[in-house]
Amino acid sequence: MLRSLACLTCACLVFVGSAKAGIPDDGSVLPFPPVPMTKVTKPRLNDTVMKWPEEKQRLAEDAPNILIVLLDDVGFGISETFGGDVKTPALDRLASEGIRYNMFHTTSICSPTRAALLTGRNHTRVGSGTIAERAVAWDGYTGLIPKTAATIAEILCEYGYHTSAFGKWHNTPAIETTSMGPKNHWPNGYGFEYFYGFLGGETSQWEPRLTENYNHIEPPHDNPKYHLTEDLVQKGLLWLDNHQAFSPDKPFFMYWAPGGVHGPHHVFQEWADKYKGKFNDGWDAYRERVYKKQLEMGVIPKGTKLTPRDETMAAWESIPEDQRPFQTRLMEIFAGYVEHTDHQVGRLVKGLEDRGLRDNTLIFYIFGDNGSSAEGQRGTVSELLAQNNIATTVEQQIAALDRIGGLPALGSPKTDNMYHAGWAWAGGTPFKGTKLMGSYFGGTRNPMVISWPKGIKPSAAMRSQFHHVIDIAPTIYELLDIPHPKVVYGHEQMPMDGVSLAYTFDNADAPGEKEHQFFDNNASRGIYYNGWFAGTAGPFIPWDTAGSVQRMSDWKSHTEQWELYHLERDFSQATDLAIVKPSILTGLKKRFLELARENKDFPIGAGLWLRLHPEDRVKTPYTTWLFRQNTRRMPEFTAPGVGRVSTHVSADVEIGEKASGVLYAVGGASGGLAVYLDKGVLVYEYNMMIIEQYIGRSSAPLSAGKHQIEVDTQIGTPGGAGTATVSVDGKEVITVALKQTVPGAFTATETFDVSVDLGSPVSEAYAERRPFAFDGRIHKVEVSLK
């Protein structure tokens, strides 16, 4: 009888049984049937011959290794390779050794692009209409990649590839990331035999919340030379060494997706200093300068127009002189971060070369999972302010920065900084829009370079066929002569949406083979169809999240004005033909709705739901918790909502004289809450996203011995004001007024910890003593929602 066993370190399944089970051996059903053992045996051992069956060769002997590099939040007009101002020598090198694409597209947002890339299906078809943390209960937005859409890793694993993933994952439901799982939606559950990186959407480059395979781990503490992107290269090269040592005859597939250059923008000061003064003329001048270079280099076709700045976005000349040092330094840090990240890609490629692997490694270098991000709004020291729809002023940002060290603190562990949205818009030159906009190429068009010395002849001619991340998987399958399976691990597979782009490898001018492509993100949506593009921006303005709330509340999808562009003559979406060609627009709008229905995109605007109803965010079903002293790394989306909703916390502790250390903490330096003792003094600290701190201290140190510490928090509405009252042994010792609170989340990947503050420290008061482990005993911590 056939039975399946899940491999402990891989999503691949091992089938034990007879080849007579009826499983076809043509690749239509995976896994392949087992190779039959010797059929004829004799009664006596000494009359019988034992011979292991030969492993069936399912790939060509020279099947290439495959490396996909996917950067994060970087637009079309950033890299020097594509006309931008930022040096990217690794991208330059691979472009000179391969081929370039200037009409390659993403979904305009993180998790959806990754799901589409790995499966070859449209993002909503595979439940990934928005980021994992914003999942809602509609089929296209659950945050769950279904097993009916096998990943590249799952399929290649069955053909004998060894598989690994490094860096950002962001395709696991936010409530499934604790050490208890469930872990079937972690990278190992999707075909990757080895994973090293972080599960969420972003993390500190200095104190990342790391996961290795199925275990959460800590980075080196207090190593001033540590940076996550550099660590990812080292771990990737180590994995290659193991691969060559243990399975040199097998090809590999590596998915290398660093957090760079998603916020927070963290990089060593010397990299940022390379760009000192280079952006003093502002973002409007940057666009003009880059646009001219793009034309001169042939990155964009002759006749391409530079699209104007949106009327809702600030002009550089409107920025007060005293704020410009803040704004330019933010861009210098971003530029340094981009170059630093690309440099690490270069180290990885050099590692392939040093190991004799470069010649037969097919590299896809996708320069961004979406366009540059406007989530920094008007420039910020704490970038999740935008995700929480919390309005602030630049004056507040600079004042908060001055309290923690001024401009030198930007890019350091003290801040989660992101640049002004004007820089993001400039980074998308020559297009309109930014990340989070599916209707404009500033959100969806990203540079791509493909290099494969053994299989692709280098060419300087730009590839301008319209393509999308869903086309990478079918390209790989075509090159390897792998048929698309009908069944994988018992799950009937949905159709592939992507179209192979291998036809462009040898012919830069080959007619495009992609007929249509569907886009939708936060109701900013569109459709490409045979050279035409129709779209509508939706009610959400990425560079004004707080101001978009009323627009979203008043929005009606059926009354929106759509735009129409003929891309064969209008590369940058500069000339709207909606009035001139109404019949074409009508047809495309109808086709969009057909594709939206087919791709599980209804209701239109589903990605906006939590921006209007933050109380509906995905969350644990529990209302009470019991923690012990060793509770660690509980992701914020699964943890009690202390600091976010009304709660009661009771901690039974035993302390000595002048006890110190964290009782419990959630979040990090960019925002969070901590209750701790410092030389016996009890402290409640609410770090309101760096902008404000609400702090209360006991008037006297706690005496040695056993105590019950209770924290009662009252918060009326999400994001509203509240009060925290702290009692010791039934006596009130601290009352703190919370002028405002965080409605969604303090951070993306920081955690709730008991007796220690792992990762980025919530409080500046103990930052130099992190993780500030409690030196007493915590018998239990009980938390209940009110």
Side-chain angles (χ1 to χ4, degrees), residues 19 53 135 215 232 266 292 306 313 349 369 447 589-590 602 655 695 739:
N215 300 306
L232 295 175
H266 285 162
K292 290 176 183 177
L306 179 63
M313 184 174 287
V349 173
D369 59 346
K589 288 170 67 175
K590 179 182 178 182
F602 290 167
I655 64 174
I695 304 173
K739 291 199 294 183

Side-chain angles (χ1 to χ4, degrees), residues 343-570:
H343 179 74
Q344 307 316 312
V345 176
R347 289 179 57 215
L348 186 61
V349 173
K350 179 66 163 53
L352 292 173
E353 198 170 61
D354 293 344
R355 289 159 177 78
L357 298 169
R358 172 74 181 94
D359 191 54
N360 198 30
T361 298
L362 169 62
I363 300 177
F364 297 88
Y365 190 171
I366 305 172
F367 206 72
D369 59 346
N370 42 246
S372 292
S373 174
E375 291 158 305
Q377 307 291 280
R378 287 170 286 181
T380 185
V381 296
S382 184
E383 48 103 9
L384 247 67
L385 284 163
Q387 293 280 7
N388 283 286
N389 283 346
I390 297 173
T392 58
T393 65
V394 177
E395 289 80 5
Q396 284 178 294
Q397 299 279 347
I398 294 176
L401 181 62
D402 287 342
R403 288 196 301 270
I404 56 176
L407 292 180
L410 291 173
S412 78
K414 293 183 176 182
T415 62
D416 273 9
N417 50 281
M418 276 191 75
Y419 57 12
H420 191 291
W423 296 119
W425 166 68
T429 303
F431 307 119
K432 294 181 277 192
T434 63
K435 173 186 176 181
L436 304 184
M437 300 196 78
S439 59
Y440 295 130
F441 295 151
T444 63
R445 187 166 290 178
N446 289 85
M448 181 176 70
V449 164
I450 301 177
S451 178
W452 178 19
K454 191 173 181 178
I456 298 177
K457 184 179 179 180
S459 169
M462 189 70 73
R463 270 64 178 168
S464 296
Q465 297 86 354
F466 195 101
H467 277 287
H468 188 273
V469 287
I470 61 172
D471 302 327
I472 299 301
T475 301
I476 292 172
Y477 302 149
E478 179 183 337
L479 293 172
L480 299 179
D481 197 23
I482 291 177
H484 183 244
K486 297 177 181 177
V487 178
V488 179
Y489 307 148
H491 299 280
E492 187 172 342
Q493 297 293 289
M494 62 178 66
M496 186 76 69
D497 290 317
V499 174
S500 171
L501 50 78
Y503 71 94
T504 66
F505 287 2
D506 297 326
N507 186 356
D509 299 319
E513 295 186 4
K514 192 175 187 70
E515 179 186 80
H516 64 260
Q517 180 59 49
F518 150 84
F519 296 87
D520 187 8
N521 178 17
N522 285 296
S524 179
R525 56 204 190 276
I527 177 175
Y528 166 81
Y529 188 81
N530 285 338
W532 290 86
F533 188 95
T536 184
F540 179 70
I541 300 175
W543 47 91
D544 184 18
T545 59
S548 293
V549 174
Q550 190 59 51
R551 287 168 52 94
M552 291 186 289
S553 298
D554 298 338
W555 172 68
K556 301 289 188 295
S557 63
H558 63 282
T559 61
E560 281 182 292
Q561 182 175 335
W562 281 60
E563 300 167 5
L564 177 68
Y565 301 100
H566 192 194
L567 301 184
E568 293 177 0
R569 301 176 184 176
D570 183 10

